[in-house]
């Protein structure tokens, strides 16, 4: 495991890691929303840099991507967005590989990582970059002291899991179910199974954050009780942004709703740690 | 034989982790069944593509065009393959492979609807349920194919995001696959996507070039001087070229020049789909290849009068062969494609798909009476007729109406 310290520190207690698309629906409101999440108890925040072909996203985040791009979001404006944020939790850039690859001049990937380090980002999640193709980005992250988070799917086993554990730093993003992002009301039965598998496979000392479909404090509690070190919540928060935008609500009101939702999710994660461990075989 | 995952720097496997185990499983199945003919897979494929598909397709001398262009012009009649396009080679191969792998469901994207109809036919033939994703815009411009898919009992699911064309349909099919990967096989429709798709799809289509080589030698005792095919993703293109890549024949990949080659950066729109001729290296839909993208790496919306060429990417193997100088990329605009459509229909009695018409537009541009290109074609030329034009009739009437094409017949008979 690479030891680019940073992000793992956010998981000292059960962590709440929200996701929002930067610039959704516009830069000014979006800054306010991210700061509201930090006030509500976020331990780290994933900021989406929108890509035109988000193949891992469901409809909720696809529409956030459209709103942000229509508002003029670009990689450079994304970096300025990060610089303008007034929060003191670690920030992770979630984006697709082509944007990282095309940025700047010279050797591909390096300029993007260098600029990310400069504005204070602490790591990346790149949903279309499996371990096989990640050596270039991993090397650049090592050079600039950033973390590279990998997603582990319910279908990931054996050698593949080992290859990911070898390259990951920060945290493992445990995908709770097959499919794309989107809020759900239940906790996938595969979450516990995945966490058990990870616990067995030498992945003990890297934090495991579960995402894909978590939308309530109760779900967050269940996931943490099942052994997760944190929860990642995206679509449920993006839904709040989308609804506020559709209803023309003032950004301050939407920010308050986000902060309240963040509290619920963070409290849920903390409460999950107090629950008795699952009995064998459930 | 081992599985080709990269073509020079192009290709690779840039997909979500959830799909990687399935892609590994597919790689293994491709190696065993296709490359090594395990359990007689390839024997069964060849038998079915003959009996169900109608292979071999003819290589026909185009008498009128040969005279017009003052050289020997031959047509490879993939339009006569069952379904009316080359697409069945790949669709039947992959659906059969899915069956050998024990998959229970088939999904596919489609642009022109030709790959969708081919997949729906193959799935009906091999008794597997099938769902086809198709952009809303393409559904509207290729209606006959939507009916055909429905008649073969396939679900057709409209995709409304973006411009509603092939790019969005591929993204949406990948999302379905991410959810259903354990039981479902994604029959990708061209030589695009993550490895092993580009190599595997090429292998199922390479029978086109193998037949051309044999059929041409029977007449001339030597290979053709030039081979021409249209290129969207590039499956008919590589299927036609593969047998000739190691030889001396000139290879021309004809892309859609659309209405103009100038990109509207502000709107994020390329009014063409010429990714081989004008694209830049990048990563889309699982592969590193040549793409139409803006300065930031956002993918542009492409355009072509022909849905099947309307895509911002292209197969990584073609991108590599272009960089190597082995394949010559070229393009033909909407107007020239329509004109070529009418010419082939009138002079040879073959109504081509609009995609295919681009290949003939190139012939006219290079060797026609008012040649616009500074290039001398060899004495013998084979053009791949990748598909027939029945699906395009409505679009052709509409597009012809908008233009002042000299060689277009009057369509007034259809009124009243
Ligand atoms: C008749 C025909 N030719 C060509 C194409 C383009 O595909 P490819 O470039 O993969 O051959 C299509 C795609 O739908 C088609 O229907």
């Amino acid at each position: 495991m690479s030891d680019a310290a940073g992000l793992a520190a956010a998981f000292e207690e059960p962590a709440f890691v929200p996701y929002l698309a930067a610039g959704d629906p516009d830069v000014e409101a979006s800054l306010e929303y991210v700061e509201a999440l930090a006030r509500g108890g976020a331990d780290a925040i994933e900021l989406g840099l929108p890509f035109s072909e988000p193949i891992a996203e469901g409809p909720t985040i696809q529409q956030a991507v459209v709103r942000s791009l229509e508002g003029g979001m670009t990689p450079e404006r994304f970096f300025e967005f990060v610089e303008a944020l007034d929060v003191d939790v670690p920030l992770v850039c979630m984006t697709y590989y082509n944007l990282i690859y095309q940025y700047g001049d010279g050797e591909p990937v390096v300029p993007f990582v260098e600029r990310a380090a400069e504005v204070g980002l602490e790591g990346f999640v790149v949903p279309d970059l499996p371990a096989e193709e990640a050596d270039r980005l991993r090397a650049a992250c090592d050079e600039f002291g950033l973390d590279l988070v990998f997603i582990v799917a319910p279908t990931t086993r054996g050698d593949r899991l080992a290859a990911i554990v070898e390259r990951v730093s920060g945290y493992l993003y445990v995908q709770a179910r097959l499919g794309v992002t989107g809020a759900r009301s239940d906790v996938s039965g595969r979450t516990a199974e995945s966490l058990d598998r990870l616990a067995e496979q030498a992945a003990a000392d890297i934090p495991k954050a579960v995402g894909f479909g978590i939308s309530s404090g109760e779900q967050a509690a269940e996931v943490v009780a099942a052994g997760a070190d944190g929860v990642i919540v995206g679509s449920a928060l993006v839904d709040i942004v989308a609804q506020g935008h559709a209803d023309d609500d003032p950004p301050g009101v939407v920010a308050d709703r986000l902060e309240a939702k963040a509290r619920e999710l963070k409290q849920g994660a903390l409460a999950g740690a107090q629950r008795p461990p699952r009995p064998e075989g459930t | 034989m081992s599985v080709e995952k990269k073509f020079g720097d192009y290709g690779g496997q840039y997909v979500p982790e959830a799909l990687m185990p399935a892609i590994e499983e597919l790689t293994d199945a491709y190696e065993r069944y296709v490359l090594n003919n395990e359990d007689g897979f390839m024997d069964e494929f060849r038998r079915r593509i003959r009996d169900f598909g109608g292979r071999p397709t003819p290589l026909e001398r185009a008498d009128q065009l040969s005279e017009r262009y003052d050289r020997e012009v031959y047509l490879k009649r993939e339009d006569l393959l069952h379904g009316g396009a080359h697409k069945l080679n790949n669709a039947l191969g992959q659906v059969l492979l899915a069956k050998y792998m024990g998959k229970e469901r088939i999904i596919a994207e489609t642009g022109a609807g030709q790959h969708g109809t081919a997949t729906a036919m193959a799935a009906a033939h091999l008794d597997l349920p099938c769902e086809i994703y198709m952009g809303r815009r393409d559904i509207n411009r290729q209606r006959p194919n939507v009916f055909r898919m429905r008649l073969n009992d396939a679900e057709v699911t409209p995709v409304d995001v973006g411009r509603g064309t092939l790019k969005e349909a591929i993204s949406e099919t990948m999302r379905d696959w991410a959810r259903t990967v354990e039981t479902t096989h994604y029959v990708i429709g061209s030589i695009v996507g993550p490895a092993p798709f580009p190599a595997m799809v090429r292998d199922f289509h390479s029978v086109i070039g193998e037949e051309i080589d044999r059929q041409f030698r029977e007449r001339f005792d030597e290979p053709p001087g030039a081979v021409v095919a249209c290129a969207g993703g590039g499956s008919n293109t590589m299927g036609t070229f593969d047998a000739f890549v190691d030889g001396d024949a000139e290879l021309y990949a004809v892309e859609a020049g659309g209405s103009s080659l100038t990109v509207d950066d502000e709107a994020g729109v390329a009014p063409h789909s010429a990714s081989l001729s004008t694209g830049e290296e990048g990563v889309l839909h699982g592969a590193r290849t040549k793409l139409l993208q803006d300065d930031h790496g956002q993918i542009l919306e492409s355009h072509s009068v022909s849905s099947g060429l309307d895509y911002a990417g292209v197969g990584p193997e073609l991108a590599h062969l272009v960089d190597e100088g082995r394949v010559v990329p070229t393009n033909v605009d909407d107007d020239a494609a329509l004109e070529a459509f009418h010419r082939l229909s009138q002079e040879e009695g073959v109504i081509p798909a609009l995609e295919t018409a681009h290949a003939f537009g190139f012939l006219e541009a290079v060797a026609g009476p008012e040649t616009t290109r500074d290039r001398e074609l060899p004495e013998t030329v084979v053009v791949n007729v990748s598909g027939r034009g029945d699906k395009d009739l409505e679009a052709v009437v509409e597009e012809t109406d908008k233009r002042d094409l000299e060689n277009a017949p009057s369509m007034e008979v259809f009124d009243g």
Side-chain angles (χ1 to χ4, degrees), chain B residues 372-392:
Chain B
T372 53
R373 316 254 175 136
D374 187 17
R375 185 179 281 283
E376 183 70 20
L377 277 187
E379 282 306 300
T380 56
V381 181
V382 174
V383 185
N384 188 39
V385 184
S386 58
R388 69 177 187 224
D390 306 41
K391 69 185 173 61
D392 293 316

Side-chain angles (χ1 to χ4, degrees), chain A residues 52-53 101 133 156 160, chain B residues 13 17 167 281 298-299:
Chain A
S52 56
E53 298 307 305
Y101 194 81
E133 306 287 357
T156 309
R160 293 205 53 75
Chain B
Q13 301 176 308
E17 171 59 27
K167 170 166 74 71
E281 186 196 343
Q298 305 290 2
I299 309 305

Side-chain angles (χ1 to χ4, degrees), chain B residues 251-330:
Chain B
L251 306 175
Y252 294 97
V254 188
E255 300 189 285
S259 56
S260 154
L261 290 181
T262 311
V263 168
D264 180 348
D265 265 323
E266 196 57 36
V269 173
H272 63 88
S273 328
S275 26
L276 276 179
S277 320
T278 71
E280 307 255 355
E281 186 196 343
V283 174
L284 175 66
H285 290 147
R288 187 188 297 187
T289 186
K290 288 185 190 284
L291 300 178
L292 302 179
Q293 55 185 326
D294 70 11
D295 292 344
H296 306 297
Q298 305 290 2
I299 309 305
L300 297 171
E301 298 294 343
S302 57
H303 166 86
S304 166
V305 69
S306 92
S307 309
L309 303 185
D310 199 344
Y311 181 53
V314 65
E317 184 171 19
L318 269 178
H320 173 61
L321 290 173
V322 163
D323 280 6
E324 296 277 288
R326 184 64 193 94
V327 167
V328 181
T330 178

Side-chain angles (χ1 to χ4, degrees), chain A residues 49-58 62 69 73-76 97-99 101-103 127-133 136 151-157 160 164 175 178-180 184 190, chain B residues 6 11-21 24 161 167-168 170-172 174-176 178-182 280-286 288 291 293-301:
Chain A
L49 163 57
F51 177 52
S52 56
E53 298 307 305
I55 55 172
E57 316 304 346
Q62 283 179 49
L69 288 175
M73 185 50 75
T74 64
E76 195 43 49
Y97 194 52
N98 200 43
L99 298 186
Y101 194 81
Q102 302 300 338
Y103 185 83
D128 64 343
L129 193 71
E132 279 79 355
E133 306 287 357
R136 202 197 280 255
I151 296 174
V152 175
T155 44
T156 309
R157 305 215 145 62
R160 293 205 53 75
I164 290 169
Q175 186 178 326
L178 283 174
V180 292
R184 309 290 174 86
R190 301 184 80 159
Chain B
K6 298 217 160 145
Q13 301 176 308
Y14 297 86
V15 291
E17 171 59 27
L19 294 180
M20 282 306 296
E24 287 182 342
V161 277
K167 170 166 74 71
E168 289 78 24
I170 294 179
S171 293
E172 202 54 30
M174 285 193 162
R175 293 184 186 111
D176 178 312
R179 189 171 66 242
T180 58
V181 63
E182 289 158 306
E280 307 255 355
E281 186 196 343
V283 174
L284 175 66
H285 290 147
R288 187 188 297 187
L291 300 178
Q293 55 185 326
D294 70 11
D295 292 344
H296 306 297
Q298 305 290 2
I299 309 305
L300 297 171
E301 298 294 343

Side-chain angles (χ1 to χ4, degrees), chain A residues 130-141:
Chain A
E132 279 79 355
E133 306 287 357
D135 288 349
R136 202 197 280 255
L137 183 58
R138 178 71 265 175
C141 284

Side-chain angles (χ1 to χ4, degrees), chain A residues 153-258:
Chain A
T155 44
T156 309
R157 305 215 145 62
D159 290 350
R160 293 205 53 75
L161 188 51
I164 290 169
V165 169
E166 194 187 305
R167 288 173 176 80
V168 70
S169 65
Y171 54 93
L172 272 174
Y173 187 142
V174 182
Q175 186 178 326
R177 64 188 83 230
L178 283 174
V180 292
T181 55
R184 309 290 174 86
S185 54
D186 62 322
V187 168
S188 164
R190 301 184 80 159
T191 308
E193 186 204 314
S194 290
L195 288 168
D196 288 349
R197 200 168 62 245
L198 286 170
E200 281 164 22
Q201 195 143 0
D205 49 351
I206 178 105
K208 289 162 264 316
V210 172
F212 271 53
I214 296 174
S215 63
S216 70
E218 175 52 30
Q219 280 172 298
E222 283 177 44
V223 166
V224 170
D229 301 295
V231 294
I232 302 170
V233 182
S235 297
L237 301 167
V238 174
D239 276 335
I240 294 174
V241 173
Q243 193 60 52
H245 181 64
D247 297 345
D248 240 339
D249 293 331
V253 174
V254 178
D256 288 344
R257 288 182 200 139
L258 285 167

